[in-house]
Amino acid sequence: QKEVEQDPGPLSVPEGAIVSLNCTYSNSAFQYFMWYRQYSRKGPELLMYTYSSGNKEDGRFTAQVDKSSKYISLFIRDSQPSDSATYLCAMSAGRGTGFQKLVFGTGTRLLVSP
Amino acid sequence: DTEVTQTPKHLVMGMTNKKSLKCEQHMGHRAMYWYKQKAKKPPELMFVYSYEKLSINESVPSRFSPECPNSSLLNLHLHALQPEDSALYLCASSSSGSGGGETQYFGPGTRLLVL
């Protein structure tokens, strides 16, 4: 079993739809959760950063973390064609002994049609 | 400014060539990373430099040789690569390199093709 599971998609939605992207994980030590957006042939761009459980909102984007279920989500409201990209979840454990690397999901490809 | 720059954007090299990838950041970050990303896969960590010292080498073959000349610059020297090394090579930086929730900022990548 992978440490982080993410549906690869593609997820196709019409413009204006609410999009829900999700990841599940198995390592209960993960405390820091990130969402990156990656356009084709570009580097990942940090979208959202969350520590521990709870919600965080930034414009059209909302990140949710449910540590009890080991489940994280990214919601995109009023989706736009420019949101078409691959969305990678990433997470890491807290500062303990040794380097705590980022563990990525495989990425979900999102296509928003006009 | 959260910008990490990488040069070149594209690189084509033969298996006997020697080339170098360059990465630069001016955010005052003390940790820099090299990742390799194949198509439709997530980034895979290769090396971590923290305070200009190599702190992590993820069992990367010796044909990849990293170098950190100073806290703003990171190089990846390539020699005798194989076609399977063709990928997007990403540089990232973070504040200290202790991991554990540090935000990593990625550059645009160098797309490498080995013939």
Side-chain angles (χ1 to χ4, degrees):
Chain A
Q1 183 189 5
K2 290 181 183 174
E3 271 192 296
V4 180
E5 300 273 2
Q6 185 176 9
D7 188 331
L11 176 62
S12 295
V13 301
E15 184 175 354
I18 296 175
V19 175
S20 172
L21 304 166
N22 312 295
C23 288
T24 58
Y25 63 94
S26 57
N27 187 344
S28 57
F30 288 149
Q31 296 183 40
Y32 299 90
F33 304 92
M34 294 146 226
W35 286 95
Y36 285 87
R37 177 175 63 194
Q38 186 172 23
Y39 291 111
S40 182
R41 299 176 174 269
K42 302 288 186 187
E45 171 195 1
L46 181 68
L47 275 181
M48 300 290 282
Y49 174 97
T50 313
Y51 169 68
S52 195
S53 284
N55 293 2
K56 185 173 184 179
E57 188 174 322
D58 184 0
R60 295 185 296 113
F61 299 92
T62 300
Q64 284 187 353
V65 175
D66 181 349
K67 289 189 71 180
S68 61
S69 303
K70 297 192 180 67
Y71 188 88
I72 69 170
S73 300
L74 177 71
F75 297 96
I76 307 175
R77 288 184 298 282
D78 187 25
S79 56
Q80 303 294 310
S82 58
D83 295 326
S84 299
T86 296
Y87 290 79
L88 292 152
C89 64
M91 48 198 80
S92 74
R95 291 183 179 87
T97 53
F99 177 77
Q100 302 296 331
K101 68 180 183 181
L102 271 186
V103 181
F104 288 90
T106 50
T108 298
R109 188 167 165 230
L110 172 66
L111 302 170
V112 182
S113 53
Chain B
D1 182 13
T2 55
E3 191 178 27
V4 176
T5 59
Q6 289 186 244
T7 55
K9 287 191 171 69
H10 303 276
L11 181 62
V12 180
M13 60 187 290
M15 290 191 283
T16 57
N17 292 157
K18 285 185 182 180
K19 296 285 184 184
S20 297
L21 310 184
K22 293 180 188 281
C23 174
E24 191 166 3
Q25 57 88 14
H26 294 288
M27 295 178 275
H29 287 172
R30 302 312 302 267
M32 297 183 78
Y33 309 75
W34 282 115
Y35 285 84
K36 173 183 176 180
Q37 187 177 27
K38 301 282 267 184
K40 299 186 180 180
K41 298 287 187 184
E44 291 176 46
L45 184 64
M46 299 174 72
F47 302 104
V48 181
Y49 272 83
S50 180
Y51 292 88
E52 299 159 49
K53 288 186 168 41
L54 183 64
S55 60
I56 301 283
N57 176 341
E58 292 281 281
S59 303
V60 178
S62 59
R63 57 186 184 269
F64 295 92
S65 175
E67 178 197 18
C68 188
N70 61 55
S71 60
S72 300
L73 291 173
L74 185 66
N75 298 322
L76 186 63
H77 302 297
L78 314 173
H79 174 55
L81 293 193
Q82 304 296 310
E84 59 265 28
D85 296 321
S86 299
L88 182 67
Y89 287 84
L90 295 163
C91 176
S93 71
S94 68
S95 58
S96 73
S98 62
E102 278 194 326
T103 305
Q104 292 185 27
Y105 296 93
F106 285 84
T110 293
R111 187 156 296 281
L112 173 67
L113 178 61
V114 182
L115 299 176

